[in-house]
Amino acid sequence: MEEKTMPQTEAEWLERLGPERYRILREKGTERAFTGEYYDCHADGVYRCAGCGEPLFGSGAKYDSGSGWPSFYEALDKTKIAEHEDESHGMRRVEVTCAKCGGHLGHVFPDGPQPTGVRYCINSASLDLERKS
Ligand code: FE
């Protein structure tokens, strides 16, 4: 996958992503549970940011959390994921975004499996799986 140039305006982001991905990545939306492309995906490969192409998660750290969203117990490189306190919707959560493009990915929770004990709960629409061939 080649490096993508970064959109400069929201109009350019909308054109690149289309309405559904734009709503999630740029407007911090959430796809409905059990509807995304990857929640039940078991293919090997690298999950890249759907906004900018940055490699974020590996299939080796993906597990079935039962939540209806793709779940990972670790990122490929923690510095590529930014964390933000999120108190929207009457909950106290930690939002995760792509450190490179700022796209909203999902949230991280302290209830994941070992060895990390964390659960990155990520929207399928925020990801592009590069399958290992
Ligand atoms: Fe990105």
Side-chain angles (χ1 to χ4, degrees):
M1 190 181 294
E2 63 189 76
E3 184 97 347
K4 295 179 178 179
T5 56
M6 207 70 82
Q8 298 301 310
T9 66
E10 289 307 303
E12 288 172 13
W13 275 116
L14 179 57
E15 188 178 338
R16 169 182 290 185
L17 298 173
E20 175 67 0
R21 281 184 156 176
Y22 182 86
R23 182 180 73 81
I24 292 168
L25 279 159
R26 305 299 303 175
E27 298 184 324
K28 305 188 187 301
T30 301
E31 70 198 11
R32 286 175 50 218
F34 303 103
T35 64
E37 187 178 355
Y38 298 130
Y39 79 89
D40 193 28
C41 176
H42 300 277
D44 286 341
V46 171
Y47 288 87
R48 292 175 177 269
C49 174
C52 71
E54 194 79 332
L56 299 179
F57 298 99
S59 57
K62 191 174 187 296
Y63 72 101
D64 184 8
S65 67
S67 68
W69 290 281
S71 301
F72 304 87
Y73 62 75
E74 69 183 355
L76 282 174
D77 177 347
K78 248 191 134 177
T79 67
K80 295 186 178 195
I81 307 279
E83 299 190 358
H84 316 270
E85 294 291 327
D86 174 11
E87 297 191 358
S88 66
H89 304 290
M91 290 176 273
R92 181 167 266 176
R93 295 180 294 173
V94 178
E95 180 201 7
V96 287
T97 59
C98 172
K100 186 173 178 185
C101 75
H104 172 78
L105 303 173
H107 292 84
V108 61
F109 299 95
D111 60 8
Q114 293 305 316
T116 62
V118 300
R119 168 172 59 104
Y120 289 95
C121 182
I122 307 297
N123 290 285
S124 296
S126 300
L127 300 172
D128 263 327
L129 173 59
E130 181 181 31
R131 289 171 193 261
K132 195 190 280 179
S133 48

